[in-house]
Amino acid sequence: MLEMNELGKRIKKLRIEKGMTILELADNKMSKGMLSMIENGRANPSMESLKFIARQLGCDPQYLLGNPTPDELKSLLKKLEEAFDKNNDEQIINLTQNIFEQQFPISLESARILDISGRVIIKTDQNRGKKLIDWAITIYERLSLYSHCLAAKVYEVEYLAKNGKYHAALIMLRSVKKEYEEKAIVIDLFVDIEANFVEMVLLFGIGEYKSGKDKLNQLIEISKRKMVFYKMDNIFRIAAFQALLHNNEKDFSYFIKKSEQFAIFSDNNRSLAFTLLLQSHYYNQIPKDYEQALFYLNKYAILMNGNLGNDFYYLERGKALLGKKQVDEALKEFEKFEMPNTNSYPLELCILYTADAYRAYCLLQLGKVEEALIFAKRAADNIDSLPETPYHNYIKNTLELVNKNLPK
């Protein structure tokens, strides 16, 4: 609630805008002296007086208190949800820039507004974002909306994992799942899938491949049994990647086909694009068929209509050109590569961190050993905390090769 001085200023400002005198505002219900004291911050109106003043000024009492009205909340939430669906973070930040200064009633609209703004702000300011999400969770709990609580907590878990704290994130996730599953009669199926999906990613992230694969199979089974296809594009892609990681070409072919079919069925070009990138990665890594890798990268470029991004495409294209012994051309592609600022899965990070190692190898081939060492060391430092994969071996071998070629 506003302090007396701020409340009085707001009443006085609105009265003047309406062209009313204090006497006109007071009418015969309040004394001019009391109203003057309220406007000057020397007295606080009772709730009955506040309602009377609001009626006279033609506004909602919540407006005078500095709280958003129910209609304002609904309007703001609609705008936020539309922006959130379009991944328009800038618009969400602009719409909620004064959110910490506002008082929110205990309502679903309030909680959703805080939740959405928190999910966006946490990307650039983890503490402020977490405060907003926790504020939303407090309201959800007051309303006994435990599925909403779990969904918000899962989002916090993902950002804990983004900082490389996979073990801590897994412990937190299991704790909140247990807490809200005990409180709720039933957890929303979509929230349950989301929580189990994040748990699967974290298990792979700490190298618990068997447990991760069990969770993966569980997710596929739930989706089939319930006929719910939420997250299936991601699930199939991770299944395909796991098969590739363990040289199981039969499973890779099966899951990549499923991923492709789902992307086409859902008319999701973004999912289909990821599938094409994964296939180019497969041909670069396993059969070393660089022409076929370039074939899928060209399909990706056509599908994306030139919006190539700056990460996986350039990494895989550089690898294919390097495989064809076109070192200068490969180096140009690696120089275009940039690490994404989005939340990447641990095993995706393993692939992405090899970009510096491949760049180092190109520089080494061109006789730029000192420069090669910078990138080889950076790759080794970045991948050190991630679970052991074949990508570690490539980075380690590249660093050793560069060190061997350093001038004595």
Side-chain angles (χ1 to χ4, degrees), residues 69-339:
T69 66
D71 285 343
E72 288 172 335
L73 285 174
K74 288 176 183 176
S75 175
L76 176 58
L77 178 57
K78 183 180 179 182
K79 291 175 184 175
L80 288 178
E81 287 181 331
E82 288 173 356
F84 193 67
D85 288 341
K86 295 175 182 175
N87 295 312
N88 192 337
D89 290 0
E90 185 179 353
Q91 186 181 357
I92 291 170
I93 290 168
N94 289 337
L95 286 168
T96 59
Q97 55 187 331
N98 298 318
I99 197 164
F100 278 101
E101 300 169 14
Q102 298 187 52
Q103 298 290 325
F104 285 90
I106 305 300
S107 70
L108 177 58
E109 288 84 2
S110 297
R112 283 289 295 146
I113 289 166
L114 294 166
D115 194 351
I116 290 171
S117 58
R119 289 177 187 227
V120 171
I121 291 170
I122 201 171
K123 297 175 185 179
T124 53
D125 188 333
Q126 195 150 349
N127 287 332
R128 280 172 63 86
K130 187 177 184 304
K131 283 180 183 177
L132 287 170
I133 294 173
D134 286 343
W135 189 358
I137 289 169
T138 300
I139 296 176
Y140 286 145
E141 287 190 337
R142 289 279 298 275
L143 299 171
S144 300
L145 297 171
Y146 299 120
S147 288
H148 287 71
C149 293
L150 179 56
K153 280 291 185 183
V154 168
Y155 204 84
E156 285 188 357
V157 166
E158 290 187 274
Y159 270 83
L160 184 61
K162 188 179 182 182
N163 293 331
K165 299 175 182 177
Y166 303 119
H167 283 92
L170 183 60
I171 291 168
M172 177 181 172
L173 177 62
R174 287 175 168 172
S175 173
V176 297
K177 275 179 66 180
K178 184 174 185 294
E179 176 187 353
Y180 291 117
E181 283 168 359
E182 288 175 352
K183 287 181 177 179
I185 297 172
V186 63
I187 292 291
D188 180 85
L189 180 59
F190 292 95
V191 176
D192 187 49
I193 290 172
E194 182 75 40
N196 280 291
F197 177 82
V198 173
E199 185 172 1
M200 173 195 69
V201 169
L202 292 173
L203 287 166
F204 286 137
I206 61 174
E208 294 284 347
Y209 295 117
K210 185 181 182 304
S211 298
K213 192 172 181 181
D214 289 344
K215 185 63 68 175
L216 173 64
N217 291 332
Q218 180 186 338
L219 279 165
I220 292 172
E221 177 57 32
I222 290 171
S223 298
K224 285 180 179 177
R225 181 161 39 86
K226 299 287 187 178
M227 294 296 289
V228 173
F229 304 108
Y230 178 61
K231 287 281 184 184
M232 284 310 297
D233 51 345
N234 288 326
I235 292 167
F236 282 136
R237 276 203 311 276
I238 289 176
F241 181 69
Q242 285 299 313
L244 186 154
L245 200 63
H246 294 90
N247 291 319
N248 188 333
E249 295 190 47
K250 182 181 177 183
D251 278 1
F252 174 80
S253 297
Y254 172 78
F255 284 118
I256 203 71
K257 189 66 177 175
K258 287 290 184 184
S259 181
E260 185 179 20
Q261 288 171 341
F262 184 83
I264 293 169
F265 166 74
S266 58
D267 198 22
N268 190 330
N269 280 349
R270 186 170 175 271
S271 289
L272 187 56
F274 274 119
T275 302
L276 294 170
L277 287 175
L278 189 52
Q279 290 184 87
S280 70
H281 180 73
Y282 163 76
Y283 281 105
N284 273 332
Q285 291 293 127
I286 306 300
K288 311 294 185 186
D289 187 338
Y290 305 115
E291 288 294 345
Q292 196 67 10
L294 289 170
F295 167 78
Y296 280 106
L297 289 169
N298 288 336
K299 286 186 71 173
Y300 171 86
I302 293 168
L303 179 67
M304 298 304 290
N305 197 25
N307 298 316
L308 304 174
N310 53 17
D311 42 52
F312 281 105
Y313 173 80
Y314 290 114
L315 172 57
E316 295 304 330
R317 185 167 170 78
K319 285 161 63 177
L321 293 172
L322 183 59
K324 295 180 69 178
K325 312 298 184 188
Q326 298 174 22
V327 179
D328 287 302
E329 291 83 352
L331 181 57
K332 288 176 184 176
E333 299 301 308
F334 294 132
E335 286 172 346
K336 295 174 188 174
F337 171 89
E338 293 178 18
M339 279 296 294

Side-chain angles (χ1 to χ4, degrees), residues 25-42:
L25 178 58
D27 197 23
N28 60 352
K29 299 287 184 181
M30 294 180 69
S31 71
K32 178 181 174 182
M34 173 56 71
L35 196 50
S36 179
M37 288 177 64
I38 290 170
E39 285 193 350
N40 289 299
R42 295 199 301 272

